[in-house]
Amino acid sequence: MAVTGIILFGFVLVHMLGNLKMYLGADHLAEYGEFLRHVGEPAIPAYGVLWIARIVLLASVVFHIWAAWSLTRMAKAARPARYEYKEKNHTTYASRTMRWGGVILVLFIIFHLLDLTVGSVNPAFTEGRPFENMVASFRVWYVALFYILANLALGLHLYHGVWSLFQSLGWNHPRFNAWRSWFAHGFAWIITLGNISFPLAVLFGFVGK
Amino acid sequence: MDLILHIWRQTGPSAPGKMVKYEVKGVNEHSSFLEMLDVLNEQLVTRGDEPVAFDHDCREGICGSCGFMINGEAHGPQPATTVCQLHMRHFKTGDELHLEPWRSRAFPIVKDLMVDRGSFDRIIQAGGFITVSTGSAPEANLTPVPKPIADQAFDAAQCIGCGACVAQCPNGAAQLFTSAKVGHLNLLPQGQAERYDRALSMVEAMEQEGFGYCSNFAECEAVCPKGISIDFIARMNRDYIKAKAFGSAKTAVKA
Amino acid sequence: MKLDAKVPSGPLETKWLDHRDHLKLVNPANKRKFTILVVGSGLAGGAAAASFGELGYNVKCFCFQDTPRRAHSIAAQGGINAAKNYHNDGDSIFRLFYDTVKGGDFRAREANVHRLAELSVNIIDQCVAQGVPFAREYGGLLDNRSFGGAQVARTFYARGQTGQQLLLGAYQALERQIGAGTVKMFPRTEMLDLVVEDGRAVGIITRDLVTGKLERHAGHAVVLATGGYSNVYYLSTNAKGSNVTAAWRAHRRGALFANPCFTQIHPTCIPASGDYQSKLTLMSESLRNDGRIWVPKKAGDTRSPDQIPEGERDYYLERKYPAFGNLVPRDVAARNAKTVVDEGLGVGPQKNGVYLDFSDSIRRLGRATIAERYGNLFEMYDKITGENPYAVPMRIYPAPHYTMGGLWVDYDLMSNIPGLFVLGEANFSDHGANRLGASALMQGLADGYFVIPYTIGDYLAPSLNKPVSDDTPAFRATEADVRDRVSMMLAINGKRTADSFHRQLGRIVWDYCGIARTAGGLQKALQLIPELQQEFWKDLKLVGGADGVNQEIEKAGRVSDYFELAELMCRDALDREESCGGHLREEHQTPDGEALRNDEEFSYVAAWEWTGGGSAPNLHKEPLEFDAVKPSQRSYK
Ligand SMILES: Cc1cc2nc3c(=O)[nH]c(=O)nc-3n(C[C@H](O)[C@H](O)[C@H](O)COP(=O)(O)OP(=O)(O)OC[C@H]3O[C@@H](n4cnc5c(N)ncnc54)[C@H](O)[C@@H]3O)c2cc1C
Ligand code: HEM
Ligand code: HEM
Ligand code: SF4
Ligand code: F3S
Ligand code: FES
């Protein structure tokens, strides 16, 4: 769980940073896409690195979901009879929404791939023109809204996920325990704000006019 | 004050159970929660009904016998308080309280609010001790223990084994209980020789008993009557991962 | 019957060592052929069972709680004494021995107490090695404090939870043996009788508290470590389940019960707040260091304490004992509190307490200092009473706390029934008529870790290869007795709960055999108790059957024994025409109200023999001789 969590966490961070190129203009983003497709050439054939990354990513997601699924089942098995009076919650909303948050994320990812990678749900989709595809997508208010909501869910998931990761790996020490929490907050916010800025920017016409 | 209680009644381990409603009148605000149940039981017995079975002994918050859910909270609404130390002045007339036993596969219900926490003992059997037979101990002051370490070990050692952590954990995990014992012994110089074996075998025992997996909800810490910190869970994970990765014997030699 | 304490000859300092050297041994390979039944998993029983297991004996251990870790020892707060002399303040084995004998008001056996003092140092070593997190100084070495008025700092402590930490140490050692298979644990199991065959203890009958089933357990020796009987008073500082049943049923089978009237009443407990009160909570004695005890001068004064001017308050301890003031010993403080409350001067809604006032200390030292010294106690008080002791004076009142009396044992901790050993608070041995603070934990662990593992071998060795069986006439008869007793209680079908009888009995014992006793009162109690007992056997109400969990049966069984014990306590108290330690006979006081001992006539252990419910018990006397310490009269003026 923790290992896949780190990979996924690393990916969303890099992905968000990459997407920031959007603010530099359509061609920058396209170039970046192109770069990703051809990185390592000629030592590695085109799309090589990209596919390796895709495979690692896919494996991580699959494993992550499998782990989440089996842990959820373990949790259910550990308490076969539920409480008649629902348990009170004492801790963060984030920690309690990891499972549903994860499901939202999967749905989002599927939609997102169909939207911007495969293009099947995006009528204006053009291969190799990510900027234009994105703008086309985000112009539709409910698509933009979905992106925003999904990314808020991502933020929560990451916030608890990152903090939890420290705990699961036993990286704690009185001296940096406070720092752990700042770190989790900081990164969750950076990624969420970064990601949310894209649909907002399009929606309010700062980008892609 | 007058209260309405809904109490889980179950005659035996395999019998079906259900919530039963009772009205208790004239509860004194200075009585403890268990004394309030004593009064109810006395009334039940006098009219020929079976009293509500619940575990208790010291009634001072130290033995760890007592404990059940009150409106979805292990040991009820007061922080750092066992039900035997919870007083009725924290409730008010007309309150409806739902009392349920700890629910966990590893804590089978014995009767009503009483559960079998033998799984905790078996976790301790797996490594919650320092191997030192009677008579073989060296002079006590031979090994100084830095005060901060001794204090930290004490914080963990305060666990009363009540099971509230498991009861409240959405995963039904016993990490807080187990890590409290691992933390107590693994911090002390006396516990170093068996440090990594202890972490390995206690975590494995915990899994075998059918407790859930910890995904760091921290609910346990919130209800623990002794305020045991989830920092001990991280500590235990660290020792466990090290032992898993490098082998317990090797890690012990290195450490 | 001649009582032989079997105290070894030779000088006091070497008695134990010499004795040890001459005890018979059981060959390591043969140990597993012996089954030892240990009833109780507190400090005494837990330590014994673990140590037997380590030695290789085949052990069965029993407790009524759901796990051995919850034995009542867990609740001890203050600390444990040991003559380590780490403070270089002149402590020594002799001094600890001396203080304990003197503290017991010269009613304990010298040799036992000396051994206890010798072993105290090993206990600390053992516990530290087990990982007991005792308080430490900044250098990393063990810290000590002075406790209960001792002149030296010899008390080892673990915050306010010393008993808990020591018990967990023993519990962990025990669990290690359970895991290793040498000890089989029977939690939620109550011993209901002792099986005696040819004059020897050969087993016990238990009731499984989950299924209700009666079971027979046979062993080569039976070790009782079942704690004290303060709950005879109903309200005490003991855990609710603490009981006399195991010891009492052994008494009914022939074991002598020694000094039953020696009970300790602790002066600083939180008073009862109503009829529903189920137990009393101890507040550490240390509070008397900075709190001033007073009551209003006028009976029935209903003003709040801050409205009562200085001149209308009676600081009665300071007035009567100017030298010691609020720091007089436990029994003196307890007795005086009772006197003022009986005079109608009690405070609080029930008029059943005296004030322990910190306002002067807070003014003098500042709130912060007081918080630092007693913060957690103040919090506990606040939690229980809902009152803030920084703002209003605490209310305190004495409560039964410890019982020095118990089953009679010889130097080897064996009762007069061969094969029946008794350890910890359940025996009578080391504290005489009064126990010093921090010495019960010491005694339980000394008995369990360092005495019984040696002495039991001496008893067992001759019976090698003699198998034990639970299918004998004695077992069958004893089991039938137990079954009849349970059925008899179930058949009564009266109107009153076991608790209601217990409460009423407790009141009688408290009134007439509590802090202060008189011949008249004791005689009255001896009349009231059997009356109530008869009513119990006519009007008890139980619900449910003998099968499955039935906490009412558990309670009723215990109460039925308390009646018999209460009677014996009163008889013993009546018989002992002197005052000593916790036993104050109002007829025997010095002109200024001090306990007046009568060494000429009463320097003995009173060991009572059961002669059947109907007839008066037989008294056997074990004379006490004092060679190393000369009895003296205490004075706190
Ligand atoms: C509030 C409080 C504070 C104290 N503080 C101190 C202190 O600071 N220092 C000090 O030295 N002493 C202190 N004491 C006294 C001390 O704690 C006890 O005397 C001591 O712990 C008794 O230990 P034990 O092993 O003899 O019995 P316990 O710990 O009482 O154990 C009795 C065992 O016997 C079992 N048992 C009982 N009856 C049966 C039965 N019929 N069948 C099966 N099992 C049975 C129980 O399950 C339990 O396991 C304190 C006592 C109290 C009440
Ligand atoms: C179906 C989709 C998902 C589900 C069901 C899911 C579920 C979970 C659950 C239950 C946890 C907590 C496990 C624990 O703390 O041990 C978790 C942790 C985590 N998740 Fe997800 N998740 C999903 C998708 C994602 C995605 C897409 C990312 C990355 C962006 C991600 C990143 C993380 C991280 C970093 C952790 C922390 C790992 C740890 O604590 O060990 N998750 N996830
Ligand atoms: C608003 C925020 C986001 C924007 C603007 C965005 C944008 C894009 C774009 C433009 C692509 C196509 C790149 C290309 O084909 O060249 C892409 C691909 C992808 N995105 Fe996002 N994305 C966002 C959030 C996310 C999130 C939160 C996740 C995962 C949790 C994610 C996962 C992916 C994946 C897996 C791909 C496919 C990469 C590949 O080609 O293999 N994206 N994204
Ligand atoms: S960790 Fe806390 S909640 Fe869990 S058993 Fe120990 S004391 Fe109870
Ligand atoms: S609540 Fe449960 S998930 Fe872990 S942090 Fe506590 S055990
Ligand atoms: S009864 Fe002992 S902790 Fe509550």
Side-chain angles (χ1 to χ4, degrees):
Chain A
M1 188 101 256
V3 176
T4 57
I6 294 177
I7 295 173
L8 296 174
F9 167 69
F11 168 77
V12 287
L13 179 65
V14 171
H15 187 54
M16 189 277 289
L17 292 175
N19 284 337
L20 284 178
K21 284 189 189 286
M22 177 175 94
Y23 294 114
L24 299 178
D27 295 336
H28 272 104
L29 196 62
E31 256 170 48
Y32 169 63
E34 203 58 20
F35 162 75
L36 284 182
R37 285 185 265 278
H38 297 283
V39 63
E41 266 187 86
I44 303 167
Y47 288 87
V49 170
L50 187 61
W51 272 109
I52 292 171
R54 279 175 173 170
I55 288 166
V56 170
L57 214 54
L58 188 69
S60 298
V61 170
V62 169
F63 191 79
H64 189 82
I65 294 173
W66 173 82
W69 167 250
S70 60
L71 294 179
T72 307
R73 285 194 26 181
M74 258 178 90
K76 289 256 169 338
R79 179 162 303 132
R82 312 245 302 219
Y83 286 109
E84 301 282 319
Y85 189 100
K86 206 178 148 6
E87 301 101 293
K88 280 237 163 57
N89 297 307
H90 300 86
T91 49
T92 60
Y93 184 71
S95 66
R96 278 177 279 126
T97 48
M98 286 305 273
R99 282 164 201 153
W100 284 111
V103 171
I104 293 176
L105 284 179
V106 169
L107 295 178
F108 164 76
I109 293 169
I110 293 170
F111 173 81
H112 179 54
L113 290 178
L114 296 180
D115 178 21
L116 295 179
T117 307
V118 181
S120 55
V121 295
N122 188 343
F125 184 75
T126 325
E127 178 88 51
R129 298 307 299 169
F131 181 87
E132 289 76 4
N133 296 341
M134 219 159 67
V135 171
S137 221
F138 294 164
R139 283 251 166 85
V140 186
W141 69 269
Y142 50 84
V143 174
L145 185 69
F146 179 53
Y147 265 80
I148 293 170
L149 291 179
N151 275 289
L152 286 175
L154 175 71
L156 279 175
H157 194 85
L158 282 180
Y159 164 65
H160 181 74
V162 169
W163 179 84
S164 166
L165 226 148
F166 284 112
Q167 193 69 9
S168 298
L169 294 176
W171 294 343
N172 82 324
H173 188 279
R175 227 175 302 139
F176 67 71
N177 277 355
W179 183 85
R180 278 193 330 184
S181 163
W182 281 113
F183 185 87
H185 267 114
F187 273 75
W189 277 113
I190 289 172
I191 289 174
T192 312
L193 290 180
N195 277 348
I196 289 180
S197 75
F198 308 128
L200 286 179
V202 173
L203 215 53
F204 291 103
F206 297 122
V207 172
K209 262 270 157 75
Chain B
M1 76 183 72
D2 301 339
L3 296 171
I4 296 169
L5 301 180
H6 301 265
I7 305 179
W8 181 261
R9 302 304 307 262
Q10 176 171 341
T11 52
S14 48
K18 62 172 192 298
M19 299 297 276
V20 178
K21 185 171 159 183
Y22 299 93
E23 282 175 39
V24 226
K25 296 213 157 38
V27 175
N28 187 302
E29 58 163 355
H30 292 301
S31 66
S32 72
F33 205 93
L34 297 188
E35 285 168 343
M36 183 271 292
L37 288 183
D38 290 342
V39 172
L40 170 68
N41 275 345
E42 190 127 356
Q43 289 167 4
L44 290 179
V45 173
T46 315
R47 65 173 197 236
D49 289 341
E50 283 239 8
V52 179
F54 59 90
D55 270 315
H56 66 100
D57 199 20
C58 73
R59 300 208 172 183
E60 287 189 11
I62 192 75
C63 75
S65 296
C66 68
F68 42 79
M69 306 294 283
I70 303 175
N71 284 358
E73 276 183 294
H75 289 302
Q78 286 296 105
T81 306
T82 53
V83 281
C84 61
Q85 288 281 285
L86 176 65
H87 282 72
M88 297 312 294
R89 67 183 74 91
H90 300 293
F91 300 91
K92 56 181 193 314
T93 227
D95 277 356
E96 279 198 44
L97 305 176
H98 301 250
L99 316 190
E100 282 181 79
W102 295 161
R103 294 194 189 275
S104 159
R105 177 170 54 160
F107 290 167
I109 295 179
V110 176
K111 185 177 184 179
D112 298 341
L113 302 176
M114 209 180 224
V115 299
D116 175 358
R117 287 164 289 197
S119 45
F120 271 8
D121 290 328
R122 291 186 291 274
I123 292 175
I124 300 295
Q125 279 159 32
F129 50 76
I130 289 171
T131 300
V132 49
S133 294
T134 306
S136 59
E139 151 63 37
N141 256 348
L142 212 56
T143 317
V145 182
K147 189 168 160 45
I149 298 286
D151 285 347
Q152 220 186 330
F154 195 102
D155 291 341
Q158 293 189 81
C159 164
I160 58 175
C162 62
C165 45
V166 174
Q168 196 79 27
C169 172
N171 295 332
Q175 242 78 5
L176 195 63
F177 166 80
T178 309
S179 71
K181 190 43 67 196
V182 172
H184 160 211
L185 298 175
N186 281 9
L187 273 159
L188 293 171
Q190 287 83 1
Q192 292 312 304
E194 296 162 290
R195 175 171 176 174
Y196 295 96
D197 270 328
R198 177 175 300 119
L200 265 186
S201 33
M202 287 181 74
V203 168
E204 274 156 24
M206 182 173 75
E207 286 165 2
Q208 264 165 27
E209 290 296 332
F211 289 105
Y213 165 92
C214 172
S215 58
N216 306 308
F217 275 111
E219 286 287 342
C220 49
E221 180 184 72
V223 298
C224 173
K226 295 293 138 180
I228 310 278
S229 159
I230 54 169
D231 285 352
F232 290 109
I233 298 184
R235 278 190 155 276
M236 173 172 79
N237 290 340
R238 184 159 75 219
D239 285 354
Y240 176 78
I241 291 170
K242 271 195 203 164
K244 260 287 199 246
F246 306 114
S248 58
K250 237 161 107 197
T251 321
V253 171
K254 243 177 43 195
Chain C
M1 185 186 318
K2 167 105 178 59
L3 280 186
D4 182 3
K6 300 206 194 92
V7 174
S9 54
L12 190 61
E13 297 75 37
T14 54
K15 275 185 201 296
W16 172 237
L17 292 176
D18 286 348
H19 185 59
R20 257 177 58 173
D21 289 346
H22 297 98
L23 287 171
K24 290 187 223 60
L25 296 174
V26 177
N27 177 318
N30 286 332
K31 286 207 173 77
R32 67 186 159 75
K33 297 183 188 159
F34 289 102
T35 299
I36 305 178
L37 309 178
V38 180
V39 188
S41 64
L43 285 181
S51 304
F52 290 150
E54 288 160 4
L55 288 170
Y57 289 112
N58 181 24
V59 186
K60 288 182 174 184
C61 183
F62 305 82
C63 71
F64 67 76
Q65 292 92 345
D66 64 331
T67 147
R69 67 181 291 153
R70 309 205 201 285
H72 169 60
S73 296
I74 200 100
Q77 307 170 350
I80 177 168
N81 286 333
K84 283 281 197 187
N85 192 28
Y86 283 159
H87 269 229
N88 200 29
D89 55 2
D91 197 13
S92 66
I93 287 171
F94 182 81
R95 226 181 256 283
L96 175 54
F97 153 74
Y98 179 86
D99 288 353
T100 309
V101 172
K102 178 162 181 256
D105 222 0
F106 306 96
R107 289 294 173 265
R109 210 186 272 152
E110 271 192 345
N112 283 55
V113 180
H114 197 276
R115 172 177 65 189
L116 176 63
E118 289 167 55
L119 295 175
S120 67
V121 295
N122 306 13
I123 294 172
I124 301 304
D125 297 343
Q126 185 64 30
C127 296
V128 165
Q130 288 172 343
V132 171
F134 283 121
R136 295 196 174 251
E137 295 172 339
Y138 279 95
L141 301 180
L142 293 159
D143 190 20
N144 296 134
R145 62 184 175 197
S146 139
F147 191 75
Q151 310 270 2
V152 290
R154 63 159 77 99
T155 304
F156 292 76
Y157 64 102
R159 294 192 198 158
Q161 287 139 265
T162 317
Q164 180 197 28
Q165 293 310 316
L166 293 173
L167 183 64
L168 292 181
Y171 157 75
Q172 286 161 205
L174 177 61
E175 289 298 330
R176 179 164 78 96
Q177 293 310 308
I178 296 171
T182 56
V183 179
K184 183 154 169 37
M185 187 71 214
F186 295 81
R188 292 203 201 268
T189 303
E190 185 168 31
M191 166 180 163
L192 289 183
D193 219 332
L194 178 76
V195 183
V196 181
E197 207 170 65
D198 303 331
R200 287 172 176 259
V202 293
I204 59 174
I205 304 294
T206 60
R207 178 167 181 271
D208 181 324
L209 300 182
V210 175
T211 63
K213 250 187 73 192
L214 296 185
E215 280 159 359
R216 306 174 188 174
H217 299 274
H220 292 86
V222 177
V223 177
L224 295 191
T226 47
Y229 53 85
S230 295
N231 276 350
V232 65
Y233 294 99
Y234 187 70
L235 290 182
S236 85
T237 63
N238 284 20
K240 287 295 284 175
S242 297
N243 68 88
V244 77
T245 290
W248 193 256
R249 308 268 166 113
H251 174 60
R252 290 173 56 115
R253 295 279 168 202
L256 302 184
F257 208 106
N259 300 338
C261 80
F262 287 171
T263 58
Q264 184 172 72
I265 314 287
H266 197 289
T268 50
C269 303
I270 303 178
S273 62
D275 300 336
Y276 49 78
Q277 190 84 26
S278 60
K279 74 155 294 178
L280 297 168
T281 303
L282 179 80
M283 297 300 290
S284 169
E285 230 171 336
S286 61
L287 290 168
R288 286 197 280 143
N289 292 338
D290 286 307
R292 295 180 70 196
I293 294 177
W294 63 275
V295 289
K297 280 188 178 157
K298 196 170 74 203
D301 197 332
T302 48
R303 286 173 293 175
S304 74
D306 57 320
Q307 295 301 313
I308 302 179
E310 217 38 47
E312 292 175 41
R313 300 175 175 190
D314 182 11
Y315 294 89
Y316 57 89
L317 288 179
E318 297 172 19
R319 172 170 59 80
K320 285 163 89 173
Y321 308 92
F324 279 73
N326 296 298
L327 290 174
V328 292
R330 283 182 183 180
D331 53 332
V332 180
R335 213 180 321 135
N336 281 282
K338 179 173 157 62
T339 309
V340 292
V341 168
D342 287 350
E343 284 167 5
L345 299 167
V347 300
Q350 313 273 327
K351 304 255 164 266
N352 60 351
V354 299
Y355 286 128
L356 178 61
D357 194 339
F358 290 87
S359 49
D360 280 351
S361 307
I362 293 176
R363 227 169 290 132
R364 184 162 41 91
L365 304 164
R367 188 185 154 122
T369 311
I370 294 299
E372 193 187 308
R373 288 187 192 164
Y374 312 110
N376 55 349
L377 291 168
F378 278 33
E379 246 170 62
M380 180 159 102
Y381 182 86
D382 194 343
K383 201 175 246 180
I384 292 173
T385 62
E387 288 174 0
N388 172 7
Y390 293 103
V392 288
M394 274 187 184
R395 289 174 291 113
I396 54 161
Y397 198 62
H401 176 58
Y402 184 86
T403 53
M404 285 71 72
L407 292 180
W408 183 89
V409 289
D410 64 15
Y411 188 72
D412 287 342
L413 302 184
M414 186 156 83
S415 70
N416 58 308
I417 302 179
L420 176 69
F421 294 81
V422 191
L423 320 180
E425 194 175 336
N427 74 23
F428 87 105
S429 72
D430 297 356
H431 306 293
N434 180 40
R435 175 183 68 86
L436 286 188
S439 58
L441 302 180
M442 170 171 77
Q443 183 224 335
L445 288 178
D447 288 359
Y449 283 135
F450 298 112
V451 179
I452 192 76
Y454 292 92
T455 58
I456 206 162
D458 192 61
Y459 170 76
L460 292 175
S463 29
L464 181 63
N465 292 330
K466 289 196 190 129
V468 289
S469 158
D470 64 9
D471 196 21
T472 63
F475 268 100
R476 281 192 290 271
T478 314
E479 186 188 325
D481 284 354
V482 173
R483 195 176 303 280
D484 289 350
R485 198 176 164 112
V486 173
S487 326
M488 219 156 91
M489 287 194 301
L490 280 167
I492 301 170
N493 203 11
K495 285 189 286 299
R496 288 182 60 184
T497 61
D499 268 347
S500 81
F501 282 108
H502 193 176
R503 227 176 275 130
Q504 198 180 342
L505 171 68
R507 190 72 224 185
I508 297 173
V509 190
W510 174 248
D511 284 345
Y512 301 113
C513 197
I515 300 176
R517 299 137 187 206
T518 63
L522 290 164
Q523 270 149 358
K524 176 134 191 239
L526 281 171
Q527 180 202 329
L528 292 175
I529 294 166
E531 278 171 19
L532 187 63
Q533 185 181 20
Q534 272 181 11
E535 196 186 329
F536 172 87
W537 286 104
K538 277 210 298 270
D539 203 21
L540 172 70
K541 168 124 196 157
L542 292 179
V543 290
D547 297 337
V549 174
N550 189 337
Q551 293 174 311
E552 292 301 306
I553 290 189
E554 297 166 29
K555 287 195 239 176
R558 293 168 189 168
V559 177
S560 72
D561 294 326
Y562 285 136
F563 284 116
E564 295 168 2
L565 167 73
E567 210 178 318
L568 188 67
M569 283 169 68
C570 293
R571 212 174 276 282
D572 186 41
L574 190 60
D575 213 60
R576 193 170 277 278
E577 290 282 354
E578 64 161 351
S579 295
C580 60
H583 169 64
L584 182 102
R585 281 287 300 273
E586 289 183 1
E587 301 91 332
H588 305 287
Q589 306 185 53
T590 62
D592 21 84
E594 281 303 324
L596 191 62
R597 246 185 12 242
N598 179 349
D599 291 336
E600 300 284 271
E601 290 178 78
F602 291 96
S603 189
Y604 63 74
V605 175
W608 297 90
E609 182 189 358
W610 174 261
T611 52
S615 52
N618 286 339
L619 173 62
H620 301 269
K621 298 178 184 174
E622 179 200 333
L624 292 169
E625 275 133 39
F626 294 90
D627 300 323
V629 199
K630 280 282 146 265
S632 58
Q633 198 76 39
R634 49 174 211 174
S635 169
Y636 294 97
K637 283 280 163 179

